[in-house]
Amino acid sequence: MQRALVEVLLLGILGGVVGVHVLLRRMAFLTEALQHTVFPGIAVAFVAGESLLLGAIAAAAVTVALLNVMTDGLRIEHDAALAVLIAGSFALGVVVVSRRTGYTADLSQLLFGRILDVDVRQIVETAVIAAAALVVVAVLHRQFVLLAFDRAQAEALGIRVALLDLVLNAVVAASVVVAVRAVGTVLVVAFVVTPAASARLLGRSVGATIAIAVALACMLGWIGLGASFEASVHHGVRLAAGATVVVAFSLGFCVIGAVTWLARIGSRRDAAREVPA
Amino acid sequence: MSNVVNSFGSPFFQRAAVEAVLVGALAGVVGVHVLLRRLPFFVVAMSHATFPGVVLASVLGISLFAGGTGFGLVVVLAIVGLGSVRALDDSSAIGVVLAGSFAVGVLVLSSQPGGSRDLSAFLVGQILTVTTADIATTAVVGVVLLAVLAGLHKELVQGAFDPEGLRALGYAGRALDLVVLVVITVALVTAVPAVGTLLAVALLTVPALAARQWVEGVGPMMVLAAAIGAGCGVVGLCLSAAWDVAAGGAISLTAAAVFLVSALLRSPGSPLSRRVRPASVPG
C-alpha cells in the first residue's frame, strides 16, 4: 500500500507536468496511441520473460519512428496514421498473448496493471525516468511553450522545431512507458490528460496550470488509492486500484468543471446587473 | 491449412464468416466518413467510452447492443458539450471523457467475480460464438445506418468539406454533425461482439484509409472500403483458424497489412504511384 502510494505520487507529478504540455500541443491522441502501441512490446517481453520496461521502451521507440515514416514519407495524415498504428499494434499484442494458454488472466493484468504489486525496484525505475523527463521539460520549458503558441516565431528565432517535437514525443513516450506497468495500458492516458485538463480550467498561466495539475494528480491519486484499499480490505468490495484512481481524477474534473461553469454564469449575471440595458 | 478446410464446414465458422462480412462492409462505409471528418480519435475514444455501457448491460442482463448504444449516446453528448468549453479543445475533451468512462467500466467489472474473462471477451471479441440473433441485429442495424448515410449523402459530404457553405445554404450543420457521430457510435457498438471494442477501431478506420490510397471520389471510396473490410474479415478468420490465434486480432492485422501494402504501392516514387497528389480530399 505504501509502495503503491509512492508510485501513484511519482506518476501524478510526472503526468501533471507532461500533461499540460500534451494539452498545449493537442497531443492527447498521441498519448492514447502510445499507450496502445506499447502493448505488443510488453506482451512480447512478457511471453519471452524479458523485462517489461525494456519491451515497452522498444515498442515506444518503434512507434515514434513509424509515425514519422508514415506522416513524412508516405504523406498520411497524423491522426489517420495513429489510428492505423493503434489498430495494428493492439491486434499484434492480442495475437501474441493469445498463443499462450490461460491468456485472459495475463491479458487483463497487462491491460489494467497491478499497482498494488509494485516493488522497490520498480519505484526506483519510475523515479529515475520521471526525474530525467522532468529535467528535460524544465530545461526546455520556454521553448516548448513558445512552440505551442507561436510555431512560426519559434522557427524565426532559430529554434530547431523538428528536434523539439521529437524530444517532446520522447518525453511523452517515457511517461507512458513508466505508467503502463502500474496502471495498465488502457488507463495511462487518464494520468496524463485528466489532471491537466482540470487544471486548465483553473490556471491562468502555464506555470500555474502545471502546479495545479501536479497538486490535483497527487491529491486525487491518494484519495482514489485510499478508497480502493478501504473498499477492498474493510468492506469486501473489490475495486481495481488503477481504475479507482482514474475515476477519482474524472470526478475531480467534473466537480471543477461544474464549479467554473457556475462561476462563469454567476459573473455573467452580475455583469448584466451592473450594466442596465 | 487442413484446420481451415475442416472449419469451413462448422456452423460456428459459417456464422462467424457471415458476421465478419457484414461488420467489415458496414465499417468500411462508415469509415470513409470518419476519415473525411478527421474523426479517428473520436472512434478510439468511443471504443473505450461505450465499454462501461457494454459492461453494465452484461451485469444487468440486457442486450449488449442496447447498453453500448445508450451509453455511447450519452458520451457523444458529453464530448460535444465539453468540446464547446473555451479552455478545452476537442482532443482534450475526448481524452478526458474516454479515460473516465473506461475506468468506470473497469471498476464495475472488477467488483464482479470472474471479471477478467468477460473483460477480455469485450476487448477482443468472440466472433466464433456469434448467434443467428447477433447476425440479424448486425444486418438490420447495417441497413438502417446505410440508409441514413445514403439519404443524407450530399449534405454529409458537403458538411465535411465546407461546413460554412452548408450552414449558409440553411442546413442545420450541428444536427448533421451529430448524425455522423451517432452513426459512427452505433456502427462501433455493432462491431463489438465480433471483434471487441478495441479492435472495432481497426475496422472503422483502416479499410477506408486503404481505399483512399487507390480512389479519389467519396462514392467509389465507400464501395472499395466496404469490399476491403469484408475481405479482411474473411481472410482474418481463416488465418485465425489456421494458426489458432485470436480472431479479432487476426482480422485487424489483415486490415493493417492491406493498408500497408496499399500505402507502399501508392507512395511517391513507386511505379504504381498516383499521378497527382489528390488535393481535393482532406482528412
Side-chain angles (χ1 to χ4, degrees):
Chain A
M1 174 66 192
Q2 280 162 359
R3 285 198 295 265
L5 184 59
V6 172
E7 178 84 9
V8 166
L9 293 182
L10 281 174
L11 293 177
I13 296 169
L14 180 63
V17 174
V18 174
V20 172
H21 284 288
V22 164
L23 290 198
L24 284 179
R25 300 290 303 277
R26 310 194 169 196
M27 284 164 57
F29 193 25
L30 175 69
T31 315
E32 167 72 17
L34 274 171
Q35 73 174 4
H36 287 302
T37 54
V38 297
F39 178 61
I42 295 181
V44 170
F46 185 75
V47 170
E50 293 288 328
S51 151
L52 298 190
L53 187 63
L54 274 182
I57 292 174
V62 170
T63 305
V64 174
L66 275 181
L67 183 64
N68 225 358
V69 168
M70 281 168 80
T71 50
D72 289 352
L74 301 178
R75 294 207 207 130
I76 292 159
E77 290 80 6
H78 196 255
D79 52 354
L82 284 177
V84 172
L85 283 176
I86 291 178
S89 61
F90 189 78
L92 193 64
V94 169
V95 166
V96 168
V97 181
S98 75
R99 290 290 296 171
R100 284 166 57 99
T101 48
Y103 79 94
T104 50
D106 296 344
L107 189 63
S108 46
Q109 186 196 339
L110 291 179
L111 286 171
F112 305 117
R114 287 202 166 164
I115 196 158
L116 294 175
D117 292 355
V118 289
D119 52 23
V120 175
R121 195 175 139 228
Q122 206 173 332
I123 292 178
V124 171
E125 285 171 357
T126 308
V128 169
I129 293 179
L134 290 178
V135 167
V136 170
V137 172
V139 169
L140 296 174
H141 180 79
R142 297 175 71 92
Q143 279 93 327
F144 280 146
V145 173
L146 178 59
L147 202 56
F149 286 102
D150 192 346
R151 204 179 170 84
Q153 198 194 345
E155 273 172 22
L157 285 174
I159 294 173
R160 290 163 77 183
V161 175
L163 187 66
L164 269 185
D165 278 345
L166 196 65
V167 171
L168 190 57
N169 283 354
V171 168
V172 173
S175 317
V176 170
V177 164
V178 287
V180 152
R181 286 178 312 166
V183 291
T185 59
V186 286
L187 293 174
V188 169
V189 73
F191 265 75
V192 177
V193 172
T194 309
S198 317
R200 269 197 100 177
L201 295 174
L202 297 174
R204 290 275 167 267
S205 68
V206 175
T209 308
I210 289 179
I212 297 172
V214 169
L216 275 178
C218 292
M219 194 178 72
L220 294 172
W222 177 57
I223 293 175
L225 197 60
S228 151
F229 191 72
E230 187 70 17
S232 316
V233 174
H234 298 299
H235 299 286
V237 183
R238 294 192 316 152
L239 293 181
T244 315
V245 170
V246 173
V247 168
F249 284 171
S250 308
L251 287 179
F253 176 80
C254 292
V255 170
I256 292 170
V259 169
T260 50
W261 187 58
L262 289 176
R264 193 172 304 156
I265 290 179
S267 66
R268 215 176 281 160
R269 198 170 292 156
D270 291 346
R273 215 176 283 150
E274 281 164 18
V275 187
Chain B
M1 290 303 266
S2 65
N3 276 346
V4 179
V5 180
N6 290 341
S7 39
F8 274 135
S10 91
F12 295 107
F13 190 86
Q14 285 164 358
R15 280 202 293 269
V18 173
E19 176 81 5
V21 167
L22 289 176
V23 169
L26 173 65
V29 173
V30 176
V32 172
H33 277 289
V34 172
L35 286 193
L36 286 182
R37 287 172 178 259
R38 298 188 163 248
L39 291 172
F41 189 32
F42 173 78
V43 174
V44 174
M46 288 313 293
S47 75
H48 294 44
T50 51
F51 174 68
V54 175
V55 173
L56 282 175
S58 97
V59 170
L60 297 174
I62 58 173
S63 139
L64 298 189
F65 176 73
T69 311
F71 203 88
L73 296 182
V74 174
V75 170
V76 168
L77 293 178
I79 289 178
V80 171
L82 272 185
S84 59
V85 176
R86 195 176 40 88
L88 293 175
D89 59 301
D90 279 351
S91 80
S92 318
I94 293 175
V96 170
V97 174
L98 87 87
S101 50
F102 197 79
V104 171
V106 175
L107 208 58
V108 172
L109 208 62
S110 75
S111 63
Q112 302 289 317
S116 66
R117 173 163 296 276
D118 298 344
L119 196 61
S120 306
F122 295 138
L123 290 171
V124 300
Q126 287 188 328
I127 198 166
L128 289 174
T129 61
V130 290
T131 59
T132 320
D134 288 334
I135 294 177
T137 312
T138 309
V140 171
V141 172
V143 168
V144 172
L145 291 187
L146 292 183
V148 170
L149 289 184
L152 293 172
H153 183 74
K154 269 189 177 163
E155 288 81 359
L156 292 180
V157 172
Q158 192 183 358
F161 287 101
D162 183 8
E164 312 262 307
L166 191 73
R167 232 159 276 158
L169 287 174
Y171 287 103
R174 281 236 146 184
L176 284 172
D177 290 346
L178 207 56
V179 168
V180 176
L181 297 185
V182 170
V183 166
I184 293 171
T185 306
V186 176
L188 188 70
V189 175
T190 314
V192 164
V195 290
T197 51
L198 288 176
L199 294 176
V201 175
L203 287 181
L204 273 171
T205 50
V206 181
L209 197 55
R212 210 180 68 197
Q213 307 301 314
W214 299 100
V215 291
E216 292 182 16
V218 174
M221 207 187 292
M222 285 181 168
V223 174
L224 186 56
I228 293 177
C232 290
V234 174
V235 173
L237 261 188
C238 295
L239 293 179
S240 136
W243 289 320
D244 191 24
V245 294
I251 292 173
S252 307
L253 278 185
T254 313
V258 170
F259 162 74
L260 199 64
V261 171
S262 307
L264 286 177
L265 286 180
R266 304 285 285 178
S267 70
S270 96
L272 282 170
S273 166
R274 60 202 107 180
R275 294 163 307 251
V276 190
R277 170 81 193 160
S280 59
V281 186

